[in-house]
Each structure stands twice: as C-alpha cells, then as structure tokens.
Amino acid sequence: MLALCGPAFALPDYVHVKHDYAASDIQVLDRQGRLIERVRRDFAVRRGDWVALDDVSVALQRAVILSEDRRFYSHAGVDWRAMLGAAWDNVLHEHLRGASTISMQLLALVDDAYQRGPGGRSVVQKIDQALDALALERHWTKPQILEAYLNLAAFRGELVGVDALSRVLFQKRASGLDLRESALAAVLLRGPNASPSVLTQRACALLREMGAPGECAGLGDFIYLALQRKSASWADSRSLAPHYARLALQHAKVPPRAGRRVRTTLDGDLQRFVIESVQRRLNALGMENVRDAAVVVLDNERGEILAYVGSSGTLSAAADVDHARSLRQAGSSLKPFLYAQAIEQQRLTTVSLLEDAPLNLATGNGLYIPQNYDERFAGWVTVRTALASSLNIPAVRTLMMVTPDVFARRLVRLGLPLDQGGDFYGYSLALGSADVTLLSLTNAYRSLANLGSYSEPAFLRPAGHEIDMAQKAVTESVPVMSAGAAWIVGDILSDRQARARTFGLDSPLSTPFWSAVKTGTSKDMRDNWCLGWSARYTVGVWVGNSGGASMHDVSGVSGAGPIWHDVMTHLHREMPSRQTPMPDSVHSATVSFDNMLEPTRQDVFLGDTVVTHVSLAEGLMTPEQTQPRIARPADGAILALDPDIPWDKQRLWLQATDIAGVPAAGVTWRVDAQPLGSGGQLPWLPRPGRHRIELVDGRGRIVDAVSIEVRGLVSAGSH
C-alpha cells in the first residue's frame, strides 16, 4: 500500500495506485501470451484483475453511489451537508452515523493511517482525512476515484474488489451485474458481515430507491444462494491447463509473486485440441471401463512442452491428480531403449534372430515365465520384427544379454524415475515392470528422436515486457546412447511392415507421414501407452484409471493409440515429416534369409556389423517347425495341493502346443513312464511327490519332457 502522509503534494496518483495493485492469482499464459490458467498465490484475500470503470455495470455504479455517497459527483471530496447531519444525529439521538465520502473511504484503502480503529477515528484524524480528500479530488478525476474504490474495497469474507465479487459471488463479469446483484454488492460495502436478513432488508430499500421495487420479490432466497458461493471457483475463466500451470511455476528462477504474469511454452490452441481428443476418445471407450488419460507433447529440438493434459477432467474419478506425473507401470514402452542398448553394444543387429518360444527363467522368487500378449509364439524372428511387433520373449532374451543392472542404469540416465537397481526388477524389466511417469517417458523418447541426446524439458519462456521467468537451469544436451543405435530403433518403429504381425498394416500407429511409434500395456491392462515421434515432435499418451482398475480388453493400440494418432496428425496437418538422415555410423545392405524365415530386404546396421545372409546355426533349426512342446506345466515347477479341496477334485491341465502356440495334435502323455492319455490338453490328477511328464508324438518318440514336484497330503479316505 502507498501511504498518504503529510501535505497534499505527497498524495499518490491514480497511475501508481493502479500499478501497485496486485491480484491474488498469478496469470499463467501460453506461448502467444494468452491466459490459460490462474494459480492463486495470496490466500489472505481474493482479488481479481483491475477492472476499468467502463467495464463495470452502470447499475452497480449507481447502486454504490446511492448507498455510499449520493452527492459523489457534486461535492469536492467532503460532503459537508452529510457530515453536519451525521453530527446532529450522533448528538441528539446518540446514534452513530457515518458520513465518509467515497473519496474519504478511498484514503483508508490506500493508507493504513486512515483505517478506523476500535474506538473510531480521532478528531484530528477526521480533519486530516477531510483535508486529504479535498486534495485527492484536485489531483484525481471522479471516474478515477470511483474506479479505484470499486477495485480496492472489501465486499464479504475474502472477496476484495469488484472483479472477485462478480466472478465468485455472481459467476459473471462486472459488466454484466443486474439490479439485484448491484444492490446486494452495494449493501455489502456497508456491512460485509451483515446477516442475510439484514442484507435483504437493506438491498430491498436500495432497490426501491433505484425505482425497481419489483426486484424485492424473492430477494431473500437470491441473497442466500449468492452468499453460499463466497468461496466458489472463478467464473468465466476456463481452466485449460491446471496441472501444467502449477508444474511450470515450480521451474521459475524466482518464485513469482501474486499478480504477476508468467509466459509458458504451452500452445493454447494445441492444448484445446488435445483436451477435445482425450474426451472424445474416452467417451468412445465408455463401456470398456476407461475413465482417465494424460498427454504430453514436446518440441524435439528445444524440449518445450507444447501441450500437457494431466487428466480427462470431468470424466476422471480424480481430476485434480496429475496423471502425467503419476507413477505407472511402463509395459512394453521400455523395449526401444533395451534394443538400442543391445545394438549399441553390437550384441544384436536388426537381422539377428531371436527365438520367440516358451522360456522359463529361474529367479530368487521362483520361475519367471514370460508370455506374449496373444499367448502365442512366433518361432525365430529378427530383431526388427521382434521390436516392431512388440514380442515379449525376444525382449527378455535381449535383456539376458544386456543384463538388468546395465539396462536400469541406462533408463536412469534417460531421466526415468527408477528407484531400485536392475537386480530388483530382474528380467521383468524388459517388459516394463518398473514404474515411470508419462512426462519422463515422453522426454526419454525425445532422446531417441534427437539421436541419443538427452536434455530436460522446457516449461517457461522469457516474455518481453512481462516478468522474465526463465527456467531454473537450461541444461545442455548430453549423449546417452549411440546416435546410430537411436536412428536404427527409430527406423524399426517406423516400419509398418515389421509391425504388421501384431498390429496389422492399418492401425492408429500408421500415419501418412514419417513417424516412429511404440505402444505398451501393463499387467492386467491397468495402463496402456502410446509414445512416438516425428521429425519435429514427440507425443506421449497414457490411458487407464486413476485408481488403477483394469480396463476391459483395452491395449495401447486401441486405448492410447487413437489419441496419439489424433494429436500427431493434427501437428502435421500442414507440415511434412521426413526421417532424419542416416548417421555416418549406420550402413545399409540387402539381406536374405535361409528357409524364408523372413523375406529378403534392405536393412541397416551399426558400424561393421553388416551381414548379407542370415541362417540358423546347425542344430537350432528343426526339420518340422511345428514340433510340439510342453507349454504347461513348466519344467521345475513346484505345485501345492489345496488342503481345503478334496484331493480327487483337483486337476492339473497338461498343455502341449507347437512353436506358434497352436494346440498340438496327435500327441500322447506319459507320467512316470505310465500312459495317461492323448490330446493337446489333458487333465491329470496329481499326487504328492516328484514326477516326470513326457510328451510323445505319433511315431512314439519323446519330443519333450518336464520334471515337477507336487506337495501336499492325501488322506487315506481320498483313495
């Protein structure tokens, strides 16, 4: 506040009072300087923006003048007639009556010395106030005095100023206040803490004086309802980016004060489009138990966040939670970084063969038996096919080469918030058992787009004449992975032919311009992801439920994929996208395959790893690719009989499939060398002890065998 002390020439002028006014909120702007969000900083009072007098309802101006200072436009700062009348009433009737003009009240709003104390104002204070009010009116115009008064006066509770009053109590702008609303506002100035009945009585009297006695009908109910909104949300200011606004302010050099304006990197138009896409796509999935989503859009080169949707808004069960920064299981979305590391280490090339077949890995917690999404197996596949089609078993085999600890360290360098070492996650890390956030994961994908260079995302922009809220630290890009390996992974993820095995040729992952994309689905379909990049942008999408409930048969390609496609297509509606030129470390060659494992094609290689012909080593290729195997139980499994279920009611299903996961035909089973039965699936009544289970083909050959142990007691009565 500016003080009015001493002679008249020390009075503050209108320009300074208006300049020093501060709203209780910070205005968060998009990159074009348009308001996208208000973030409250001052919780002592609630002030809105300074409102020009021309933008204040004429009805409110009239009501305030009639209620507070009816000769406002005719006196010179002091209403001598009112002061004499008030003094006469106070002496004769012992009834305290004020006669302060709006000009005199304004002095108390800008100078604490004129604030009314518990015992009222002294005679000297009143004389000084009257003299300074006369001086104020010689320097200020009447409209300036009324405008400042309406913006600085307290109305009720925490509401200060006409903007806060109208947007909270009446849920509209000050220019739209009608007679009833204006009358209530005016009488609140006289008695901010008055009861609803007193306010009703005073407002009705004022409405009669304003020539609108008919407005008194139902006035009590109107005032009661209006006062219930004294802590309501801000009206006529759509919340476009609530989660991002608070996050961006955390990245300011100096915490901004209330009333300031901060320009962010967000694109308001893009933000609106993303919000609309999220709500439209989730509504289309309404029967599949999907209520939430989050989206992050990054500029590849500068790392600026162009769109940031933290929740689905009204569709969400927890709209205030920022799901873009919530920890969620990554699923298959980590596979690109794993294959990039294996290619960089020259353990694999794009045409290296990995066996997609049943795999049982012994761990400290028992057997780890990874499965593919469709519970089938593809046999021998190349790295290109395995990654593009998101096959799980080959990814686990790749992690066995790289090791979980080395892979986990790479993920941490990419900014992912892993709080445990690789040994904690084990081989399940290949399938995304770690928890990550959408923001960190999207930025990690941006490193692939930038050929292995990592940098932090940018939240804020300098804003010219506005306060410069540059980021706390603009970090330089640091190389995290080989540029060639990152480029090769991008080439694989842009290959719609390679992903056709799982996703088909026509899916939301296909765009009419160059883009690389990967999906992911966590255990029990609790989370699904779609992340990818073009030449200019990286887009990340998460879809799921805030409480972690499972979705109904919704995968990354059907849940997050359509939103990703919408956003990426919108970004490139007028802009082409072409693949980044091949780095010098990458070479191209024509490759053929034995036994038509995959068609002859042109492929890419890192450094001196180029090969032109691929064949399986002798002994790995069987004469019949459909040779059956025991799918269940797993070799080394330990099974326990349930003591609460009769023994003769418990069955173990034996299952045999070919390498593609198709149930085997023409096979028979033996347990402990004793014939059991035939068929791809067969129930068996297990007994405690160790057992050897054999699978026999039509020619009587044992084609597969497993050893298991059954634990539990069988009572004599169960025989």
Side-chain angles (χ1 to χ4, degrees), residues 153-170:
F155 284 89
R156 189 174 182 89
E158 64 176 2
L159 301 178
V160 173
V162 65
D163 194 38
L165 169 84
S166 56
R167 288 182 187 258
V168 175
L169 221 58
F170 304 122

Side-chain angles (χ1 to χ4, degrees), residues 469-488:
M469 288 291 171
Q471 279 185 268
K472 289 179 178 177
V474 178
T475 57
E476 297 292 333
S477 295
V478 294
V480 174
M481 67 186 85
S482 158
W487 189 92
I488 290 172

Side-chain angles (χ1 to χ4, degrees), residues 377-404:
F377 303 98
W380 291 99
V381 294
T382 63
V383 164
R384 177 175 290 271
T385 298
L387 174 56
S389 292
S390 197
L391 301 177
N392 287 344
I393 310 302
V396 175
R397 295 187 188 278
T398 301
L399 184 57
M400 293 169 66
M401 305 177 199
V402 174
T403 74

Side-chain angles (χ1 to χ4, degrees), residues 551-620:
M551 296 168 283
H552 300 162
D553 197 27
V554 177
S555 65
V557 73
S558 61
I563 299 174
W564 180 89
H565 183 90
D566 286 347
V567 176
M568 190 62 84
T569 303
H570 177 78
L571 288 167
H572 287 283
R573 62 195 183 281
E574 297 177 353
M575 179 188 300
S577 175
R578 298 181 180 88
Q579 187 174 17
T580 304
M582 186 185 298
D584 293 339
S585 59
V586 178
H587 307 286
S588 177
T590 301
V591 185
S592 59
F593 299 85
D594 265 356
N595 299 299
M596 289 302 293
L597 280 169
E598 292 194 8
T600 298
R601 63 170 180 258
Q602 195 79 9
D603 220 319
V604 289
F605 303 87
L606 184 64
D608 59 359
T609 63
V610 177
V611 296
T612 57
H613 184 75
V614 177
S615 59
L616 281 170
E618 185 177 356
L620 292 182

Side-chain angles (χ1 to χ4, degrees), residues 66-187:
L66 282 174
S67 177
E68 295 295 311
D69 188 0
R70 64 180 57 249
R71 283 181 285 275
F72 172 71
Y73 281 108
S74 60
H75 64 64
V78 179
D79 188 344
W80 299 110
R81 189 191 312 175
M83 289 188 71
L84 289 173
W88 185 258
D89 281 351
N90 294 341
V91 171
L92 293 183
H93 305 290
E94 298 182 354
H95 175 261
L96 296 178
R97 172 182 160 191
S100 295
T101 63
I102 289 177
S103 301
M104 295 171 71
Q105 292 181 53
L106 179 60
L107 289 174
L109 295 175
V110 297
D111 184 1
D112 291 340
Y114 291 110
Q115 291 286 339
R116 184 182 181 92
R121 297 185 180 92
S122 67
V123 174
V124 174
Q125 281 181 314
K126 290 179 180 179
I127 294 173
D128 287 344
Q129 187 180 25
L131 292 175
D132 281 341
L134 294 172
L136 181 73
E137 295 231 7
R138 291 196 297 270
H139 293 82
W140 290 39
T141 66
K142 290 286 188 180
Q144 288 174 340
I145 292 172
L146 183 58
E147 178 181 307
Y149 176 72
L150 291 174
N151 280 284
L152 297 174
F155 284 89
R156 189 174 182 89
E158 64 176 2
L159 301 178
V160 173
V162 65
D163 194 38
L165 169 84
S166 56
R167 288 182 187 258
V168 175
L169 221 58
F170 304 122
Q171 295 288 289
K172 61 171 65 173
R173 293 179 181 270
S175 59
L177 298 182
D178 60 22
L179 287 171
R180 272 188 174 186
E181 294 160 344
S182 298
L184 174 57
V187 298

Side-chain angles (χ1 to χ4, degrees), residues 12 303 511 517 528 565 643:
T511 59
V517 60
N528 68 62
H565 183 90

Side-chain angles (χ1 to χ4, degrees), residues 342-395:
I343 291 171
E344 177 184 300
Q345 295 174 350
Q346 297 192 4
R347 297 179 184 276
L348 294 173
T349 70
T350 53
V351 298
S352 296
L353 293 175
L354 296 168
E355 188 179 20
D356 184 27
L359 178 64
N360 303 325
L361 295 174
T363 70
N365 295 320
L367 287 177
Y368 175 55
I369 308 175
Q371 298 286 331
N372 285 324
Y373 179 75
D374 59 3
E375 297 186 349
R376 293 178 177 270
F377 303 98
W380 291 99
V381 294
T382 63
V383 164
R384 177 175 290 271
T385 298
L387 174 56
S389 292
S390 197
L391 301 177
N392 287 344
I393 310 302

Side-chain angles (χ1 to χ4, degrees), residues 31 64-65 90 97 115 143 195 251 329 368 410 426 440 471 495 534 545 591 604 635 673 681:
R31 62 193 303 111
V64 169
I65 290 172
N90 294 341
R97 172 182 160 191
Q115 291 286 339
S195 66
H251 288 77
Q329 198 173 74
Y368 175 55
R410 167 63 57 86
S440 64
Q471 279 185 268
D495 188 344
S534 64
N545 290 296
V591 185
V604 289
D635 189 30
Q681 296 188 27

